[in-house]
Amino acid sequence: MLPPLALRSPSLILQRAALFSAILLGSFFIATRAQAAAIVWDGSASTDWATGTNWVGDAAPGAGDVATFNAATSEGATNDPVIGASISVQGINMATGYTQTITQGSGFDVTLGSGGFTQSAASTWAGNAGATTDFTTTSFTITAGTFTAPGGNLDISGAVAVTAGAGVTFTHNSGTVRLV
């Protein structure tokens, strides 16, 4: 049994207070750590990828988010997205039912994190023929639609799955496909 607080040494009290503070602070950071969010395009304001009001929740996806395009997007969006500045997001998901075109502007790089690139819809990714335009991803999956690579480099550092057959078109666009 511990002696009453008044009889404990000040250094012991400070050590325990510091430990309690560290535990409390650590719990706060663990509880508030951001998770990758699926940010859905609605295209309600313009074609500009970076305009927040073009996305559900009125914020464009950031480095920790997966940009998502789905059937609801195709039905309600009046504007197809155009990437007019270099972007870095966790991933891009062109889900089943999405039938529109995403255009990667000339000179603007696309960098994807661990969420990779998935195109499972009869949609189109239009990479620009610009020689300095790159597309970098950790995984690359196409099971439907048309993918036109950028004129620069398409760098894939992880798994690659392109389903050959009806409904899938891959165009290299005079660029370089590198498995890195």
Side-chain angles (χ1 to χ4, degrees):
M1 180 166 194
L2 292 174
L5 240 125
L7 299 176
R8 291 188 197 164
S9 76
S11 64
L12 180 62
I13 293 172
L14 287 175
Q15 287 173 351
R16 288 189 178 170
L19 178 63
F20 176 75
S21 296
I23 291 170
L24 185 62
L25 189 59
S27 298
F28 171 77
F29 283 118
I30 290 169
T32 59
R33 190 175 137 216
Q35 297 294 321
I39 308 297
V40 178
W41 173 264
D42 67 23
S44 59
S46 69
T47 62
D48 184 9
W49 176 290
T51 299
T53 53
N54 280 324
W55 299 90
V56 173
D58 294 337
D65 301 318
V66 174
T68 302
F69 304 86
N70 56 30
T73 299
S74 289
E75 293 169 11
T78 55
N79 296 297
D80 289 353
V82 175
I83 300 170
S86 292
I87 62 166
S88 178
V89 294
Q90 190 69 16
I92 293 176
N93 181 11
M94 298 168 73
T96 301
Y98 180 71
T99 58
Q100 294 177 275
T101 298
I102 299 172
T103 302
Q104 179 181 358
S106 180
F108 303 116
D109 297 338
V110 172
T111 303
L112 306 179
S114 61
F117 180 85
T118 302
Q119 184 174 348
S120 55
S123 54
T124 301
W125 178 274
N128 198 289
T132 61
T133 304
D134 293 335
F135 185 104
T136 305
T137 184
T138 55
S139 64
F140 187 80
T141 304
I142 301 175
T143 57
T146 299
F147 183 90
T148 301
N153 298 314
L154 170 58
D155 292 337
I156 305 168
S157 63
V160 177
V162 178
T163 302
V168 176
T169 303
F170 179 90
T171 304
H172 67 78
N173 204 13
S174 298
T176 303
V177 177
R178 301 186 304 186
L179 304 177
V180 294

